[in-house]
Amino acid sequence: MRIATITNWAYGATVCLTIASGIVMLMASSADNTERQAVAQRQVFDQLTEEIDNDAWALSDLARLYVVGRDPDVLKEYRQKETALKSIEHRLSKLNDVGATGEELALLHEGVQIVDALQDEQQAALANMARGETAQAMALLYGKIYEQELDRAQERLDHFRQLLDNRARDAIDDATRASRTLRTLSEVMVGLTALLFLFVLGFILQHRVLRPVVRLSDVVHRLASQDYAVETPDFKQIDEIGDMAQAVRIFRENGLARQQLEKERDANWAIRELLARMTQRLQGCENFDDVINVAELFAPNIAPGVAGRLFVLDRDPWQMRCVAEWLSPEGKASPFHPDECWAVRRGQSHPPVHGEPDIGCYHLPETCHSHSLCVPLIAQGEAIGLLSFQNLNEQTASTRAYLELMAEALGLALANQRLRDALLEKALYDPLTGLRNRHHLEDMLGTQLNLAMRSKEPLSCLMIDIDHFKHINDRFGHEAGDGVIKSVAAIIQRVVRDQGTAFRYGGEEFLVLLNGMDEEAASRVATDIYNGVREMALRFAGTDIGHVDVSIGVASYPEHVQSDNLLRAADVALYRAKELGRARIVSFGMLEAG
């Protein structure tokens, strides 16, 4: 059995004995009270019955005296005594059931009834006197029956007092014996309590003082060596030992808190290193997909357990589109209008304070409102995307600052990528037609020629020029000329599609690279372009420009030239087409045959 259990049992036994001793003392006191109550009851009953007895004889004497002497003062005194007797009988009726036995009550009631009957006889005699019938009154009050009833009433009341005296004496004897027995038992219990108290006191000194001090000393020694994993004893008693245990417990809790702070500091450093590494990786991203891959990799590690999605803002149509998600967030990753997110509306994180009541973003399920966070990706004062996080709680709320830093880094990376794409588009694509420009042609031509040489497949080139373009500019203006260039470029792009790559070579000249096509296949594509342009009806500002013709030169590798002369051969074929009168297709092979 444990020491604490033994001590608790001893304490419990001491308390029980003390309580039992107190109860016995109360019982002894109750026995004394019973004795005093019996004596007091006897005195009350004895006094009242004696007064009834005396008053009954006094009333009889006064009634007889009035019958003999007809003295009004005697009659007045009789009336007063009669009223007093009724008051005594009334008081006695209130007490006659308090502790009295059935036999006592029967005697008492019979005596009182006899006294009441005698009073009735006295009233009858007084009534006879009032009518002048003195003889009848004398017969009633001095008759043998009246005397017998008077003696019988006294005998009943005397017998009642005798029974009352016997019962009171027996009650006093019983109460005295019970009180003596209970007091003795109480004294025995007090002695046992004292012995048990001495035992418990010695037990406590041995096991509750010496042993706790030794245990606390061992704990203090281990805490001094920064072993905060040690369990401190839980001494809850309010004394010096309890104070020492509380101090040791506070010291350990402070050590654990310091260790926790150190862990959090290390964790914060780790997160900061992850953020720095993510920022470095974002700076090295070459395209949009690289940014997405970096976000999917680093986000779950920067905020463990926090699910999320990355949205980017599309301008056509105007919507937020999910491009990445991690840790299986709730709800569907459907596109939504930017106004459905309060963070995008406000340009700040939403909700601003975790756990406080606030309106939820409409693009999130209602079940996520209490544990979600939306952080807009801002670039140059405009929202270009959104980070939406879920499963935020009190433990992960401290990572909110890191989530906002991550959003800032991603927003900057996406903005840089968009700027990079825009600059690349301006560098590689013609702004008027949307076709690739001449700068892009150099890289593309080298790549496709190398591919053709490795795969031993043909590569053809179309050189296209709009006929009489200067006449169009001079007659209809440069804006109309730009419209013609855009329309011809659209025809070329539609015909080529996935078969090759179209370029604006310069001014009104275009160039098409057809990978995997020989001269015959390239000539068919050239014919489709020629016919498409010729069939096109052009109008500008309500003015009919008419139809436009193009001249096309065709050259193929390796049929006509080597790799480094492909463009030159196509240009020669185009020049020949112009010499022959324009509006025609000329292949470099035709020149060789001629």
Side-chain angles (χ1 to χ4, degrees):
M1 185 178 295
R2 294 181 178 271
I3 295 176
T5 304
I6 297 175
T7 305
N8 292 335
W9 276 104
Y11 280 141
T14 304
V15 172
C16 290
L17 285 173
T18 303
I19 294 174
S21 176
I23 293 174
V24 171
M25 290 292 293
L26 292 175
M27 293 174 64
S29 176
S30 177
D32 293 340
N33 291 335
T34 302
E35 179 181 351
R36 287 191 292 271
Q37 290 175 358
V39 173
Q41 185 188 49
R42 176 190 175 282
Q43 290 177 350
V44 172
F45 276 110
D46 191 40
Q47 180 182 358
L48 292 177
T49 52
E50 184 176 359
E51 289 180 1
I52 290 176
D53 190 12
N54 293 335
D55 288 348
W57 283 100
L59 283 174
S60 295
D61 292 340
L62 289 173
R64 288 175 175 178
L65 184 61
Y66 176 74
V67 170
V68 173
R70 287 182 172 274
D71 186 355
D73 294 333
V74 174
L75 180 60
K76 182 178 180 181
E77 185 179 357
Y78 173 84
R79 298 298 184 190
Q80 293 176 352
K81 184 67 70 175
E82 180 183 27
T83 303
L85 180 60
K86 289 185 180 296
S87 175
I88 293 171
E89 289 180 354
H90 179 71
R91 289 172 57 194
L92 188 61
S93 66
K94 298 295 184 181
L95 297 173
N96 58 16
D97 59 346
V98 181
T101 63
E103 182 181 2
E104 293 172 356
L105 291 177
L107 289 173
L108 179 60
H109 291 164
E110 186 177 356
V112 172
Q113 289 176 355
I114 293 174
V115 170
D116 291 340
L118 290 175
Q119 282 184 292
D120 293 339
E121 292 292 330
Q122 294 166 8
Q123 294 296 329
L126 292 177
N128 289 333
M129 289 295 297
R131 292 193 299 269
E133 299 173 351
T134 305
Q136 287 83 348
M138 294 290 289
L140 285 174
L141 296 179
Y142 288 94
K144 183 178 179 180
I145 295 175
Y146 185 85
E147 290 290 341
Q148 290 176 351
E149 289 298 314
L150 191 60
D151 292 338
R152 193 159 70 90
Q154 184 176 2
E155 185 268 333
R156 292 292 184 272
L157 293 175
D158 290 341
H159 191 191
F160 169 76
R161 283 196 292 273
Q162 183 180 3
L163 292 178
L164 186 64
D165 290 341
N166 292 336
R167 181 168 60 83
R169 186 170 55 256
D170 294 340
I172 291 171
D173 292 341
D174 293 341
T176 301
R177 286 193 299 272
S179 177
R180 187 179 297 110
T181 301
L182 292 173
R183 289 182 185 278
T184 302
L185 181 60
S186 177
E187 292 172 356
V188 171
M189 289 184 176
V190 170
L192 291 176
T193 303
L195 291 175
L196 187 57
F197 176 77
L198 292 176
F199 167 75
V200 172
L201 181 61
F203 189 81
I204 289 175
L205 289 175
Q206 176 66 28
H207 299 284
R208 293 289 185 177
V209 177
L210 295 179
R211 290 188 179 181
V213 168
V214 172
R215 187 176 177 187
L216 286 174
S217 176
D218 178 65
V219 172
V220 170
H221 179 73
R222 293 180 62 180
L223 290 176
S225 61
Q226 296 187 351
D227 181 12
Y228 298 111
V230 60
E231 291 292 334
T232 58
D234 189 15
F235 299 144
K236 296 183 179 179
Q237 60 266 34
I238 305 176
D239 54 11
E240 288 77 3
I241 300 296
D243 294 341
M244 291 174 61
Q246 179 68 12
V248 171
R249 186 159 49 251
I250 292 174
F251 182 78
R252 175 179 177 269
E253 290 174 355
N254 290 337
L256 289 174
R258 185 166 60 252
Q259 281 187 342
Q260 182 63 28
L261 289 175
E262 292 175 354
K263 290 181 180 179
E264 291 178 357
R265 181 195 62 192
D266 295 341
N268 288 337
W269 276 112
I271 294 176
R272 290 179 183 179
E273 290 179 358
L274 282 173
L275 280 170
R277 193 185 311 161
M278 184 187 76
T279 303
Q280 293 174 355
R281 301 302 180 268
L282 289 174
Q283 292 174 353
C285 290
E286 293 290 340
N287 51 55
F288 184 79
D289 291 336
D290 288 345
V291 177
I292 303 305
N293 292 334
V294 170
E296 290 180 334
L297 175 63
F298 281 90
N301 295 286
I302 292 175
V306 178
R309 290 190 176 99
L310 172 61
F311 295 87
V312 295
L313 179 61
D314 290 336
R315 300 186 179 277
D316 188 16
W318 187 260
Q319 65 180 11
M320 284 289 180
R321 175 172 54 89
C322 180
V323 295
E325 68 177 25
W326 51 91
L327 301 183
S328 303
E330 297 182 37
K332 297 181 179 179
S334 303
F336 60 89
H337 195 275
D339 289 343
E340 295 184 25
C341 181
W342 281 93
V344 177
R345 286 190 187 184
R346 299 171 60 243
Q348 298 177 353
S349 299
H350 186 82
V353 180
H354 177 69
E356 295 293 332
D358 207 330
I359 188 169
C361 293
Y362 304 127
H363 63 92
L364 293 173
E366 293 185 2
T367 55
C368 301
H369 289 174
S370 61
H371 56 79
S372 64
L373 173 67
C374 290
V375 184
L377 307 183
I378 305 296
Q380 298 179 350
E382 296 183 359
I384 62 172
L386 172 69
L387 275 177
S388 178
F389 301 101
Q390 298 178 14
N391 302 335
L392 285 171
N393 49 42
E394 295 180 357
Q395 288 73 28
T396 57
S398 59
T399 62
R400 179 181 180 126
Y402 297 118
L403 298 178
E404 292 177 347
L405 288 174
M406 181 171 64
E408 183 177 349
L410 283 172
L412 182 60
L414 288 174
N416 290 338
Q417 196 61 46
R418 285 194 173 186
L419 179 60
R420 181 190 182 100
D421 293 342
L423 293 176
L424 184 62
E425 183 175 357
K426 289 182 178 180
L428 301 181
Y429 291 87
D430 176 59
L432 178 62
T433 62
L435 300 179
R436 301 172 189 267
N437 59 24
R438 191 165 183 173
H439 297 289
H440 198 188
L441 173 62
E442 297 176 3
D443 295 335
M444 181 69 71
L445 180 60
T447 301
Q448 292 197 4
L449 283 172
N450 291 330
L451 179 62
M453 285 187 291
R454 287 197 304 270
S455 61
K456 299 185 182 306
E457 291 184 353
L459 174 64
S460 295
C461 175
L462 305 182
M463 190 74 75
I464 306 168
D465 183 76
I466 301 176
D467 294 334
H468 307 293
F469 182 73
K470 185 176 182 303
H471 176 72
I472 297 175
N473 275 339
D474 294 341
R475 181 178 179 184
F476 300 102
H478 289 284
E479 291 186 4
D482 290 342
V484 171
I485 291 175
K486 290 175 62 176
S487 299
V488 172
I491 296 296
I492 296 172
Q493 185 66 39
R494 187 181 71 242
V495 173
V496 173
R497 292 184 183 177
D498 298 333
Q499 301 179 82
T501 307
F503 301 84
R504 185 182 181 189
Y505 195 64
E508 68 276 17
E509 288 185 319
F510 303 91
L511 186 144
V512 176
L513 291 178
L514 300 171
N515 189 24
M517 290 191 184
D518 55 12
E519 179 185 4
E520 182 180 356
S523 297
R524 287 197 297 270
V525 173
T527 301
D528 292 339
I529 294 174
Y530 178 86
N531 293 333
V533 173
R534 188 173 184 80
E535 294 171 359
M536 179 176 58
L538 296 176
R539 293 179 64 83
F540 179 77
T543 303
D544 188 7
I545 298 176
H547 76 273
V548 176
D549 290 323
V550 293
S551 299
I552 303 176
V554 181
S556 298
Y557 165 85
E559 292 181 61
H560 305 146
V561 294
Q562 296 300 314
S563 59
D564 54 348
N565 292 324
L566 182 60
L567 295 187
R568 176 64 179 167
D571 188 51
V572 170
L574 174 62
Y575 183 76
R576 182 59 177 166
K578 290 182 178 180
E579 286 183 342
L580 295 176
R582 295 185 173 86
R584 67 191 64 233
I585 302 172
V586 175
S587 171
F588 190 80
M590 295 169 57
L591 299 180
E592 290 180 339

